[in-house]
Amino acid sequence: MKRIFSGIQPTHKMHLGNYLGAVRNWVRLQSEDYETIFCAVDLHALTVPQDPQALRANTRELLATLIAVGIDPKKSILFAQSQVPEHTELAWLFSCLTPMGWLKRMTQFKDKAGKHQDLAMHGLLAYPVLMAADILLYHATHVPVGEDQKQHLELTREIAGSFNHRFERDYFPLPEPQILGEAARVMSLRDGSKKMSKSDSSDYSRISLTDDADTIALKIRKARTDPDPVPSDRENMDSRPEARNLLTIYASLADTTIDAVIAERGGESFSTFKAALADLAVSVLSPISQELDRLTADPAQLDAILRENGARAREIARGTIADVKDTMGLINID
Ligand code: AMP
Ligand code: TRP
């Protein structure tokens, strides 16, 4: 049985890029063939300073958003990382099997720590060890992630391999990354050469899943384009990043190919195209935001779901920790 694990940081509202590029794919992975486990990685979020109230609110909102987009907490296991203390326990055990050199090599650490590595928090360096623990705690075999997480997945495989080798056991699987295709890369509405991102200072650069219909329509109307009409062929589109982005978003929301959109809409004025795109975006996103409103209005129901799902996750996690403690020579008294 394939088991899928993925995590997402609760540091911001989910935007259209996260949805079309990552989370919609998670929804589709829920099937008979896989067990799926999805986690709001709030402990990872603590590697940069967080406002405590905001972190808690964002974590609950992210989990509610995941349910609203279609993660079914009966089919999948959906929870917050900090609900299951075994994540940090396994991270410690793994940190005793992980050379510092492996961690200092991580591109994300180097980028985030900058020139003053000694001033960076230990958690930022240790971040990939916690990520390996997230995945291996559940013996996940497949991990859907963005390209930027590939190196962390390789480290996870090295940690799994070094545990297996050191203790001469074939215990942890070496999980495979499922890198999501370039097709799903959504760019900023203000600049077609930059990814739609949580950190862009302009709110007009992205559509949030919590935006209402008027805001979505306004952001699409204001999206940057050039004066030419909608491209009628791929060649013309490829040299026009903003046009390409709007066509990509349209195709992705309509669940069709870019070629089909070009065939249907090529030659139209952008004002006509944008109106159609806004209608489409609203038709896909408004049921999501309505469901999110419903979940937000009933925090007790969300708590009940998280309590039950956290308990399911913990049951698996406890089994792994018992095995690992036993293997590593720790006493296990229950
Ligand atoms: P982040 O918001 O950067 O923490 O990313 C969470 C997930 O969303 C990762 O799997 C990213 O690869 C994906 N993602 C983030 N921004 C975009 C984007 N603009 N287009 C497609 N996928 C994205
Ligand atoms: N590091 C991932 C990110 O920043 C989030 C994450 C944490 C994760 N633990 C994970 C992703 C386990 C996949 C599996 O996007």
Side-chain angles (χ1 to χ4, degrees):
M1 179 74 156
K2 287 184 180 173
R3 188 179 269 173
I4 291 183
F5 182 98
S6 199
I8 184 166
Q9 294 202 42
T11 43
H12 60 289
K13 290 189 183 305
M14 204 187 292
H15 56 67
L16 194 65
N18 301 133
Y19 176 55
L20 296 176
V23 170
R24 189 170 66 166
N25 191 52
W26 295 4
V27 175
R28 294 175 175 176
L29 290 168
Q30 302 179 108
S31 75
E32 319 282 272
D33 305 332
Y34 295 114
E35 265 184 280
T36 40
I37 306 179
F38 300 116
C39 184
V41 290
D42 50 357
L43 297 169
H44 276 99
L46 290 177
T47 53
V48 295
Q50 299 288 341
D51 172 69
Q53 310 282 4
L55 177 60
R56 205 165 8 249
N58 287 341
T59 303
R60 303 180 107 261
E61 185 177 285
L62 172 62
L63 289 159
T65 308
L66 290 170
I67 298 173
V69 301
I71 301 293
D72 179 345
K74 296 236 176 295
K75 283 190 198 149
S76 293
I77 303 182
L78 178 68
F79 65 105
Q81 190 182 26
S82 61
Q83 283 179 264
V84 180
E86 285 77 8
H87 286 248
T88 39
E89 194 171 1
L90 188 60
W92 171 259
L93 299 171
F94 282 167
S95 71
C96 298
L97 299 170
T98 310
M100 293 271 280
W102 290 3
L103 299 174
K104 287 189 175 164
R105 265 207 314 270
M106 293 291 111
T107 313
Q108 188 173 303
F109 173 71
K110 289 196 279 189
D111 285 351
K112 290 201 175 167
K115 286 195 196 111
H116 306 287
Q117 292 197 352
D118 284 350
L119 297 178
M121 294 300 155
H122 170 244
L124 195 64
L125 181 69
Y127 178 110
V129 180
L130 180 59
M131 180 162 160
D134 297 339
I135 296 165
L136 296 173
L137 197 50
Y138 301 98
H139 290 251
T141 54
H142 294 80
V143 183
V145 278
E147 184 70 35
D148 61 331
Q149 296 299 315
K150 217 171 144 183
Q151 200 185 26
H152 290 160
L153 244 289
E154 276 159 23
L155 189 91
T156 301
R157 293 163 62 87
E158 290 194 80
I159 292 175
S162 92
F163 179 95
N164 292 347
H165 180 74
R166 166 92 172 71
F167 299 104
E168 296 176 6
R169 287 190 67 184
D170 190 15
Y171 185 66
F172 286 118
L174 304 189
E176 299 282 345
Q178 290 188 314
I179 305 292
L180 309 167
E182 271 295 292
R185 178 179 269 239
V186 177
M187 311 309 278
S188 157
L189 298 180
R190 308 300 295 164
D191 177 351
S193 65
K194 286 199 316 204
K195 252 175 69 165
M196 183 177 285
S197 158
K198 59 190 167 192
S199 47
D200 196 310
S201 60
S202 165
D203 203 39
Y204 282 97
S205 69
R206 66 188 155 252
I207 294 173
S208 294
L209 293 200
T210 46
D211 283 346
D212 61 26
D214 290 346
T215 310
I216 293 171
L218 179 67
K219 286 180 176 175
I220 292 176
R221 208 160 50 240
K222 281 181 163 268
R224 195 165 131 188
T225 37
D226 53 45
D228 291 343
V230 173
S232 304
D233 57 66
R234 278 222 169 224
E235 223 180 349
N236 178 272
M237 179 187 81
D238 284 340
S239 57
R240 298 166 59 197
E242 281 83 16
R244 183 197 173 94
N245 187 35
L246 295 184
L247 286 171
T248 305
I249 294 175
Y250 191 102
S252 193
L253 285 168
D255 218 354
T256 180
T257 61
I258 293 184
D259 289 330
V261 181
I262 290 176
E264 192 190 326
R265 307 220 155 245
E268 262 179 18
S269 74
F270 261 104
S271 60
T272 309
F273 179 77
K274 283 176 167 181
L277 178 57
D279 286 346
L280 175 62
V282 168
S283 75
V284 173
L285 300 182
S286 56
I288 296 175
S289 65
Q290 279 163 20
E291 178 62 6
L292 183 59
D293 287 346
R294 197 187 63 72
L295 287 159
T296 314
D298 189 355
Q301 189 206 7
L302 182 64
D303 281 357
I305 294 173
L306 297 181
R307 202 171 293 117
E308 192 193 313
N309 275 253
R312 286 164 65 208
R314 216 167 166 199
E315 200 172 305
I316 305 173
R318 280 208 176 108
T320 306
I321 285 292
D323 286 343
V324 173
K325 283 177 77 175
D326 194 43
T327 304
M328 293 180 79
L330 300 168
I331 60 169
N332 229 338
I333 301 164
D334 243 338

